[in-house]
Amino acid sequence: TDGAVVLAVSGEVDMLSAPRLAEAIHTALAPKPAALIVDLTKVEFLASAGLSVLVNGQAEVSPPTRFAVVADGAATSRPIKLMGIDSLLSLHRTLDNALNWIAGA
């Protein structure tokens, strides 16, 4: 499949909802898309369980698929950076930035 798959997440990503996100990432990666973008723009709370899902998602990606995360602000990009996960993920402030990164990659 060419093109990017965008997984838009909203609300809280905590112990209860993290398994659903993990499943969604797993399902989205199955057809080997060109890219998977997890868009956390509308997420209000990102718990450590959610951070683990992102790291595991990155680990599940195999070339040529690219994996990007969109996160901006205290609720999402801050915990990602505090945990040092931004060094593992391709982190973008906007969906447009992520799409441009994939297009230019």
Side-chain angles (χ1 to χ4, degrees):
T1 330
D2 52 3
V5 176
V6 179
L7 206 54
V9 189
S10 60
E12 303 188 349
V13 184
D14 53 19
M15 281 172 67
L16 293 175
S17 56
R20 286 207 303 272
L21 177 56
E23 187 61 34
I25 289 174
H26 184 72
T27 303
L29 287 174
K32 303 262 184 252
L36 175 60
I37 302 172
V38 180
D39 186 353
L40 303 177
T41 306
K42 293 193 166 99
V43 169
E44 291 142 28
F45 177 70
L46 182 62
S48 57
L51 294 170
S52 299
V53 168
L54 294 176
V55 174
N56 292 342
Q58 172 72 56
E60 209 181 310
V61 173
S62 53
T65 302
R66 314 285 302 255
F67 185 73
V69 176
V70 178
D72 187 23
T76 52
S77 72
R78 194 162 168 268
I80 289 170
K81 287 175 177 163
L82 279 173
M83 298 292 288
I85 297 170
D86 55 322
S87 62
L88 304 173
L89 301 172
S90 176
L91 190 62
H92 304 271
R93 291 188 57 185
T94 67
L95 181 56
D96 277 352
N97 287 3
L99 290 167
N100 288 340
W101 173 75
I102 284 156

